[in-house]
Amino acid sequence: MSTDRYVSPLSERYASKEMQYIFSQDMKFRTWRRLWIALAETEKELGLNITQEQIDELKAHKDDINYDVARERERQVRHDVMSHVYAYGVQCPKAKGIIHLGATSCYVGDNTDIIVMAEALKLVQKKLVNVIAELSKFADKYKDQPTLAFTHFQPAQPTTVGKRATLWTQEFMMDLEDLEYVLGSLKLLGSKGTTGTQASFLELFDGDQETIDKIDPMIAQKMGFKQCYPVSGQTYSRKVDTRVLNILAGIAASAHKMSNDIRLLQEVEEPFEKSQIGSSAMAYKRNPMRSERIASLSRYVMIDALNPAITSATQWFERTLDDSANKRLSIPEGFLAIDGILDLCLNVVDGLVVYPKVIEKHMMAELPFMATENIMMDAVKAGGDRQELHERIRELSMEAGRTVKVEGKDNNLLDLIAADPAFNLTIEELNKSMEPSRYVGRAKEQTTAFITKVVQPVLDEHKEMLGIKAEINV
C-alpha cells in the first residue's frame, strides 16, 4: 500500500471489496469492450461488412486490458476513449478498423455508467434486504419488552423495544421500494451518435430507417437490458444520476435516524468487542463508534446527492463536459459510502444488546406520571369527583416533579397520592398500577402484524439475497 499519497478512506476503511470492484478500472474497461463487441455484433447482424473472425478476435481480448498501451496513448492524444480504442486495436489487428464504428465516446462512457450503477444498486439492494431481515428478527424478539417512548425527547407513553425497531424497519422498507422502482426503470443510452440523432448510422446503413430502429434494442438485449432511452442528446439525461443518488440519500437518512436513536438511548447498545477501546483517556467508556460512523457517512451521502441534481440542472443543450469530473467523484463515492453504511447497519443490528434492567429503571422513574390517568379512574370508581381529582393530581405531579428535578430524589408521586384522602387509595393498590405492560397499548400486536403482513412477504420475495454477513474493516 502506498503511504506517500492520499488514499480515499471510502476504499481503505469503509466500502466492501464487492462495491470497490464495481467501480474499478477493470469493471469499467471490460464493460467498454463488451459494448464494442455488442455494437460490432449488432452491425454485423444488420448487414455491415464485419466478419465473425473479427468478432472472435474482439472476444478473445475482452478482459485482458493492455493498460500500459492505453495510458501511453492517452498522454499523446488526451482522449481516454480513443486511447482505449487504439489499445484494443493493438491487441486485435484484424478487428481494429471496425471498433467503435458509428459510435461516439458516450456510447461506451454513458452506457457503462448505467451498467455500473445498475450493478451497484443490486448490491445495495441485497444489503438493504438483509438489514431489514435482521431488524425484523430484533423487533420480533423484543416485541413485548416495554420501554419508554419519547416525544420531544421527553418521556412519553411507553412503547416496546420491538415496536420502536419497526419504525426503523419501515423506513428501510420505503427505501427498498424506491430502489427497486428506480432500478427497474434504468435503461441504456444505446448508440445515438454525437447529438442523439443517429446521423452516423444513416450513413452506415444508407438511410435504412427500419434497420436503424433495430440497433438500440439489439444492443440493450445483448447487454442485459430491456430497452434504451427513446431519445437523448449525446448523453443520457443526467436526471438519471439524480434519481439514483436520491435513493442512496434516502437510505442514508434512514440509517442516520436509526443510529441516532441507538446513540441516544444507552439502554440498547451496539456490539462492543472484548478488546475494543472506547477512549484513549477514559478507559471505562463504551463509545458507540459504529453508530457514530453511520451518522457521519450518512451526512456525507445526503449532501453528495446535491451533486448530480446541480449537474443535471446545468447541462447545456445536447452535451457539455462539465458533468464528467463531478460524476467521476459523486457517483462512485456515494455508492462506496452507502455500502459502508449498510455494512455497519448489518453489524450493529446483528449484535444489538438490550439491557432490560436499565430499561426497567428508566421506566419506573417515569411510570407514576404516566399512570395518573389510570389512577384517577380508579379513584373515581372509589367515589371521587373526576374534575377535583384531575386538579389534585396535577398539583401532586408538579410537586413530585420538583422532588425529582430540584432535589434529585426518587419519584414520590405514588406516596403523595396515597397520603391524599381525596383519592382513597392505598400504596399497595397504587403499586398494582405500576406494571409497564399495561401502558404499551397495541405495540406488541402492531409489531407482530407488521412483521408477518408487511416485512415477511418482502423477505420471501428476496429470499435468495438473504444470509450475508457484514465485515467492517476498523
Side-chain angles (χ1 to χ4, degrees):
M1 184 183 73
S2 174
T3 57
D4 63 349
R5 65 184 66 184
Y6 176 79
V7 178
S8 171
L10 290 172
S11 56
E12 288 296 300
R13 293 173 69 89
Y14 305 135
S16 67
K17 291 178 181 177
E18 294 90 341
M19 188 61 81
Q20 290 186 58
Y21 176 76
I22 290 171
F23 288 95
S24 69
Q25 297 287 289
D26 281 353
M27 175 71 173
K28 176 179 178 178
F29 294 121
R30 287 172 180 172
T31 304
W32 281 18
R33 292 192 172 188
R34 286 174 55 217
L35 283 159
W36 280 320
I37 292 168
L39 178 62
E41 285 182 325
T42 297
E43 291 171 335
K44 176 182 180 296
E45 291 163 15
L46 293 177
L48 291 189
N49 185 23
I50 294 173
T51 67
Q52 188 59 46
E53 184 181 22
Q54 290 172 313
I55 301 292
D56 291 342
E57 188 180 50
L58 291 175
K59 288 182 176 179
H61 294 281
K62 63 183 174 64
D63 291 328
D64 56 324
I65 314 296
N66 47 345
Y67 288 106
D68 53 343
V69 175
R71 291 189 189 107
E72 179 57 33
R73 185 67 175 177
E74 188 170 359
R75 275 192 284 269
Q76 298 172 33
V77 301
R78 302 296 179 187
H79 196 288
D80 56 349
V81 173
M82 289 308 297
S83 299
H84 277 267
V85 169
Y86 174 83
Y88 204 6
V90 168
Q91 292 176 311
C92 306
K94 295 174 184 176
K96 178 177 66 172
I98 56 93
I99 299 171
H100 201 67
L101 185 60
T104 188
S105 298
C106 288
Y107 169 68
V108 286
D110 273 35
N111 283 314
T112 294
D113 284 350
I114 293 287
I115 291 166
V116 164
M117 286 193 294
E119 290 304 308
L121 281 173
K122 290 173 188 174
L123 181 56
V124 170
Q125 177 190 30
K126 181 188 294 187
K127 293 188 177 184
L128 185 55
V129 166
N130 279 272
V131 170
I132 291 168
E134 291 300 323
L135 271 174
S136 68
K137 290 177 191 174
F138 178 81
D140 185 57
K141 182 177 180 179
Y142 293 101
K143 59 181 176 290
D144 53 3
Q145 170 65 60
T147 189
L148 284 175
F150 294 88
T151 57
H152 314 281
F153 201 33
Q154 297 181 60
Q157 191 178 76
T159 183
T160 67
V161 172
K163 172 63 192 301
R164 178 174 284 130
T166 66
L167 304 184
W168 305 332
T169 310
Q170 181 169 250
E171 294 197 352
F172 284 123
M173 291 280 287
M174 294 178 190
D175 297 324
L176 180 62
E177 186 177 350
D178 291 345
L179 184 155
E180 291 180 339
Y181 175 79
V182 169
L183 179 59
S185 71
L186 283 181
K187 303 174 181 66
L188 282 186
L189 168 67
S191 190
K192 294 185 174 67
T194 55
T195 60
T197 65
Q198 293 184 304
S200 58
F201 292 102
L202 271 178
E203 187 69 25
L204 281 171
F205 289 96
D206 299 321
D208 186 343
Q209 303 280 358
E210 189 174 334
T211 296
I212 295 168
D213 281 341
K214 296 176 182 177
I215 295 173
D216 276 0
M218 290 175 70
I219 290 171
Q221 190 273 329
K222 292 177 190 298
M223 299 306 297
F225 281 73
K226 293 179 180 178
Q227 54 188 309
C228 297
Y229 290 106
V231 295
S232 73
Q234 187 179 121
T235 69
Y236 67 78
S237 168
R238 295 312 185 220
K239 187 171 282 290
V240 175
D241 299 342
T242 302
R243 296 174 79 189
V244 170
L245 265 291
N246 281 342
I247 298 300
L248 307 189
I251 296 170
S254 301
H256 198 298
K257 155 69 174 166
M258 181 182 76
S259 72
N260 265 5
D261 284 354
I262 292 170
R263 291 162 63 199
L264 291 167
L265 279 173
Q266 298 299 306
E267 57 190 31
V268 176
E269 232 178 33
E270 67 176 44
F272 194 89
E273 294 162 18
K274 186 177 180 180
S275 58
Q276 185 174 332
I277 296 173
S279 168
S280 62
M282 294 166 279
Y284 62 88
K285 293 188 74 179
R286 296 168 61 96
N287 296 346
M289 171 271 289
R290 294 168 173 85
S291 297
E292 290 171 332
R293 185 177 295 173
I294 289 170
S296 185
L297 287 171
S298 293
R299 290 197 295 273
Y300 176 83
V301 174
M302 287 185 278
I303 294 301
D304 187 51
L306 287 172
N307 277 299
I310 295 169
T311 296
S312 172
T314 55
Q315 289 296 282
W316 293 0
F317 305 110
E318 281 68 39
R319 176 60 166 143
T320 181
L321 201 58
D322 62 351
D323 60 343
S324 178
N326 191 286
K327 276 170 59 69
R328 289 171 190 259
L329 292 167
S330 61
I331 294 174
E333 295 198 350
F335 273 105
L336 292 171
I338 206 67
D339 182 70
I341 289 166
L342 287 171
D343 278 348
L344 286 162
C345 287
L346 269 173
N347 180 270
V348 167
V349 175
D350 186 43
L352 274 179
V353 180
V354 177
Y355 295 106
K357 293 297 183 183
V358 176
I359 292 173
E360 182 182 357
K361 180 181 179 181
H362 293 164
M363 173 79 76
M364 298 315 293
E366 302 291 342
L367 197 59
F369 295 127
M370 296 164 197
T372 51
E373 185 174 4
N374 285 20
I375 291 170
M376 187 169 59
M377 294 302 101
D378 290 340
V380 170
K381 289 177 186 177
D385 180 295
R386 193 268 177 200
Q387 312 312 324
E388 292 177 3
L389 291 169
H390 183 278
E391 175 58 21
R392 188 67 190 130
I393 211 164
R394 186 192 69 80
E395 293 170 353
L396 294 177
S397 295
M398 295 299 106
E399 184 177 342
R402 283 192 295 273
T403 299
V404 172
K405 295 178 181 179
V406 177
E407 299 179 25
K409 297 179 180 179
D410 291 339
N411 190 331
N412 66 337
L413 179 58
L414 296 187
D415 293 327
L416 294 174
I417 293 172
D420 192 320
F423 290 91
N424 197 25
L425 294 170
T426 67
I427 191 67
E428 290 77 21
E429 290 171 321
L430 290 169
N431 280 329
K432 288 179 182 178
S433 65
M434 291 297 103
E435 171 50 52
S437 61
R438 293 181 59 182
Y439 302 95
V440 299
R442 299 185 64 243
K444 177 182 176 181
E445 291 75 17
Q446 287 178 345
T447 302
T448 299
F450 176 70
I451 293 170
T452 57
K453 295 180 181 178
V454 180
V455 179
Q456 195 56 50
V458 172
L459 297 180
D460 290 342
E461 185 181 341
H462 299 82
K463 58 186 177 184
E464 74 285 353
M465 297 183 182
L466 295 173
I468 65 172
K469 293 288 183 182
E471 290 188 17
I472 57 174
N473 296 325
V474 289

